[in-house]
């Protein structure tokens, strides 16, 4: 469970997150939508512990990550996987080395175990034939898949997705969405997806939250959002511009 209570975050004297509270129960599948620059990606980074809020608390399974020492925070991060918007692969490493990186960083030194996990995760994202390729050889969709395999390397209980289908054509977007749905079903992870892609919103989430003015509006479901007749409907019908 993730419990976010009254968090605030300011950059350059501009409040981005303003007293935001949210409870994400174990196994929840939620999407967060909203205009560009409204703080969606910032919220993911706060949950991951990459940044700390100015005030408020973020508890993961009862432990407040905002007050943790780096060693304690690392243990929590090991249970959280994050697919970054750009996939954030290391260009100097092969595909296998990219997927293995979180394991090595966590202190795993059994090379046979690492190879087994890398094989498993690459097969899971249908990239089992790409072990020795360099990231530069991959398409945008393939890079996303490898980024997803790396995020899954430590078998996380929580998955965070930052614009997982941005920049992909409709077919590749559908492939990534299918992977997210499959992983949710197979691994029973808690997932939080930040996106403005309508198909991703409707296919990967059970609850949909809109961020406005640094806070979250009451949620809609994939069924109710299409007939809600409110700002959510305006958003999914293209009334609000969003670039990430």
């Amino acid at each position: 469970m993730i419990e976010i209570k009254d968090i605030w975050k300011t950059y350059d004297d501009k409040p981005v997150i303003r007293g935001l509270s949210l409870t994400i129960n174990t196994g929840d599948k939620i999407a967060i939508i909203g205009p560009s620059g409204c703080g969606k990606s910032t919220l993911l980074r706060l949950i991951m512990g990459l940044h700390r809020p100015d005030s408020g608390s973020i508890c993961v399974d009862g432990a407040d990550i905002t007050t943790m020492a780096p060693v304690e925070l690392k243990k929590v991060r090991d249970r959280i996987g994050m697919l970054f918007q750009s996939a954030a692969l290391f260009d100097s490493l092969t595909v296998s080395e990219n997927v293995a990186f979180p394991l090595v960083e966590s202190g795993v030194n059994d090379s046979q175990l690492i190879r087994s996990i890398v094989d498993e995760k690459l097969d899971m994202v249908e990239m089992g034939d790409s072990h020795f390729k360099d990231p530069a050889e991959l398409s945008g969709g393939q890079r996303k898949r490898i980024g997803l395999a790396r995020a899954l390397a430590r078998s996380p209980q929580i998955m965070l997705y930052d614009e997982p289908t941005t920049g992909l054509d409709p077919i590749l977007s559908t492939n990534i969405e299918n992977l997210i749905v499959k992983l949710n079903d197979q691994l029973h992870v808690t997932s939080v997806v930040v996106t403005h892609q309508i198909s991703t919103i409707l296919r990967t989430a059970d609850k949909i939250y809109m961020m406005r003015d640094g806070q979250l509006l009451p949620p809609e479901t994939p069924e109710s959002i299409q007939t809600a007749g409110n700002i959510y409907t305006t958003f999914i019908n293209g009334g609000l511009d969003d670039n990430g």
Side-chain angles (χ1 to χ4, degrees):
M1 174 183 286
I2 303 170
E3 296 179 281
I4 302 169
K5 296 182 180 178
D6 194 28
I7 59 169
W8 291 73
K9 185 64 179 178
T10 299
Y11 293 110
D12 299 325
D13 296 323
K14 178 184 176 183
V16 178
I17 306 289
R18 304 171 181 239
L20 185 149
S21 296
L22 174 65
T23 297
I24 305 171
N25 293 310
T26 301
D28 275 358
K29 296 177 285 186
I30 75 168
I32 299 174
I33 63 177
S36 179
C38 70
K40 306 185 299 297
S41 296
T42 296
L43 180 58
L44 288 190
R45 292 182 176 91
L46 291 170
I47 294 172
M48 188 71 177
L50 298 176
H51 301 302
R52 293 182 187 265
D54 301 328
S55 62
S57 64
I58 302 173
C59 293
V60 178
D61 293 333
D64 188 354
I65 66 172
T66 66
T67 59
M68 285 182 178
V71 173
E72 297 172 311
L73 182 58
K74 185 178 182 301
K75 292 178 182 178
V76 175
R77 281 185 186 154
D78 284 348
R79 292 155 46 205
I80 304 175
M82 184 164 180
L83 176 60
F84 293 91
Q85 183 171 341
S86 62
L89 301 181
F90 299 107
D91 289 335
S92 60
L93 302 181
T94 65
V95 163
S96 286
E97 290 168 340
N98 266 283
V99 178
F101 184 81
L103 300 170
V104 176
E105 284 291 291
S106 295
V108 179
N109 53 24
D110 183 332
S111 59
Q112 186 172 348
L113 175 61
I114 290 175
R115 282 197 299 272
S116 175
I117 293 173
V118 169
D119 287 347
E120 177 191 6
K121 303 310 178 186
L122 285 176
D123 285 342
M124 195 173 288
V125 300
E126 301 171 8
M127 290 291 290
D129 60 351
S130 62
H131 287 71
F132 303 108
K133 291 184 178 180
D134 294 324
E137 301 177 68
L138 305 176
S139 68
Q142 290 173 327
R143 291 175 69 91
K144 293 272 191 179
R145 287 172 180 263
I146 301 306
L148 184 51
R150 184 179 64 184
L152 293 168
R154 291 183 295 225
S155 298
Q157 299 164 333
I158 300 167
M159 275 297 302
L160 310 177
Y161 302 90
D162 190 3
E163 299 286 4
T165 54
T166 291
L168 303 181
D169 65 44
I171 293 176
L172 290 176
S173 292
T174 298
N175 289 340
I176 295 297
E177 291 162 7
N178 288 341
L179 278 174
I180 293 173
V181 171
K182 182 177 80 170
L183 294 172
N184 284 338
D185 291 341
Q186 290 183 351
L187 305 179
H188 307 292
V189 296
T190 303
S191 66
V192 182
V193 181
V194 159
T195 182
H196 67 277
Q197 186 105 354
I198 304 308
S199 60
T200 307
I201 294 167
L202 299 179
R203 294 191 64 214
T204 64
D206 293 330
K207 288 187 286 189
I208 303 161
Y209 293 85
M210 175 171 282
M211 184 172 286
R212 293 285 283 177
D213 299 322
Q215 296 185 335
L216 295 175
L217 300 181
E220 298 284 354
T221 67
E223 294 75 28
S224 68
I225 194 173
Q226 300 180 75
T227 57
N230 58 20
I231 193 171
Y232 282 94
T233 307
T234 303
F235 182 87
I236 67 169
N237 287 334
L240 293 174
D241 176 53
D242 191 311
N243 296 311

